[in-house]
Amino acid sequence: MRTPHIRTVLPALAGAALLTGTVLSTPAQAAGGVTIYHVWFDSPGSDNRSNASLNAEWVQIKNTGGSAVSLKGWVLKDVSNHRYVFKDVKIGAHKTMKVHTGRGTDTASDKFQNRRAYVWNNTSDTATLTRASGAKVDSCSWTTRDPSDKYC
């Protein structure tokens, strides 16, 4: 059996390494598959600032990846820079997590910003998710032409 010549093998290996580096080309892929999946920006009923009404306004993030992702220090914010900073929490593989505007007790699937006023504008806004470093992971925008909930 003939052994391949080093000049033939090295370029092939270099090409394979280059291809491997481009697999995670989108921000969500680079973040382990974490995306903004769904936003309910206009809570049902009148906007009376009750805790129930505030918690009916939420952003749902989804991990489409095959392993859990740490969200420690990640930020969810709107155009006006109302910021929610994730504590030391992970989102499981193929799981979703809602970030509610109002007050409540955090669970694995529901987090609470503990605010007493609405964050997400009904007319138009953008939800942006960034890493602790400030690197953008994903965003989702809407306008008044959209219904009161938005799949991203």
Side-chain angles (χ1 to χ4, degrees):
M1 181 169 126
R2 184 173 177 215
T3 304
H5 196 275
I6 192 84
R7 288 184 193 163
T8 307
V9 173
L10 284 179
L13 289 174
L18 235 133
L19 286 175
T20 303
T22 61
V23 171
L24 301 177
S25 59
T26 67
Q29 289 172 324
V34 177
T35 63
I36 296 174
Y37 177 67
H38 190 184
V39 180
W40 195 280
F41 55 85
D42 185 9
S43 60
S46 62
D47 289 345
N48 58 15
R49 287 194 179 189
S50 70
N51 194 50
S53 179
L54 290 167
N55 281 333
E57 177 184 84
W58 45 260
V59 174
Q60 186 177 45
I61 62 172
K62 184 174 187 176
N63 180 358
T64 61
S67 59
V69 175
S70 172
L71 302 178
K72 183 177 182 179
W74 286 33
V75 176
L76 177 66
K77 63 183 179 177
D78 71 344
V79 171
S80 298
N81 206 29
H82 294 103
R83 300 162 53 91
Y84 171 76
V85 179
F86 287 87
K87 299 173 186 161
D88 192 6
V89 63
K90 288 184 179 184
I91 184 169
H94 308 291
K95 299 290 183 186
T96 61
M97 177 185 297
K98 284 184 182 176
V99 180
H100 301 270
T101 298
R103 298 175 311 281
T105 303
D106 288 350
T107 67
S109 59
D110 292 280
K111 304 300 178 198
F112 297 87
Q113 295 189 50
N114 295 315
R115 295 182 182 272
R116 297 178 188 267
Y118 300 96
V119 171
W120 309 107
N121 294 327
N122 297 348
T123 54
S124 67
D125 211 339
T126 300
T128 302
L129 183 64
T130 63
R131 292 178 179 271
S133 67
K136 181 178 169 182
V137 174
D138 197 17
S139 65
C140 178
S141 298
W142 57 91
T143 66
T144 55
R145 291 182 298 275
D146 292 328
S148 62
D149 70 314
K150 171 79 174 171
Y151 282 92
C152 305

